[in-house]
């Protein structure tokens, strides 16, 4: 958010209002959606990567918080949504 407000020389309040108007969601909700979608992709395409590493890759330092956010968004834990590793 800070990088965007500096890049476009606008206030964070204004940017957040624009997001709400044009996306129908907040900036934080949008950014969380992007992170969770990337995590789902990694969980399915790269089953060898530990979940704690995927959490870090998508920007969550705390694996437990990542799991909580993931479950709230997807309805499953990261491990439950992961594709089984190929045999």
């Amino acid at each position: 958010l800070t990088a965007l407000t500096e890049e476009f020389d606008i206030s964070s309040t204004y940017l957040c209002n624009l997001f709400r108007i044009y996306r129908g969601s907040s900036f934080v909700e949008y950014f969380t959606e992007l992170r969770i979608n990337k995590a789902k992709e990694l969980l399915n395409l790269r089953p060898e990567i530990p979940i704690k590493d995927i959490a870090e890759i998508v920007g969550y330092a705390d694996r437990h918080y990542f799991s909580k956010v993931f479950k709230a968004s997807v309805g499953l834990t990261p491990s439950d949504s992961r594709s089984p590793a190929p045999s």
Side-chain angles (χ1 to χ4, degrees):
L1 184 60
T2 302
L4 288 174
T5 58
E6 289 174 0
E7 176 72 24
F8 296 108
D9 195 29
I10 58 175
S11 73
S12 61
T13 302
Y14 183 65
L15 180 61
C16 288
N17 287 337
L18 289 175
F19 253 87
R20 181 83 50 201
I21 291 166
Y22 292 103
R23 278 260 327 145
S25 65
S26 72
F27 177 81
V28 172
E29 290 166 337
Y30 174 73
F31 198 63
T32 299
E33 180 184 331
L34 290 177
R35 294 162 96 183
I36 296 301
N37 286 340
K38 184 61 177 179
K40 289 188 325 190
E41 179 185 321
L42 290 169
L43 286 165
N44 289 316
L45 296 177
R46 303 290 303 274
E48 74 279 3
I49 300 176
I51 291 172
K52 76 172 195 59
D53 291 347
I54 290 174
E56 290 178 11
I57 289 167
V58 298
Y60 291 93
D62 182 338
R63 177 186 188 247
H64 299 292
Y65 182 67
F66 165 70
S67 293
K68 179 180 175 179
V69 172
F70 190 95
K71 185 168 184 175
S73 177
V74 177
L76 298 168
T77 65
S79 56
D80 289 340
S81 69
R82 173 170 257 172
S83 296
S87 307

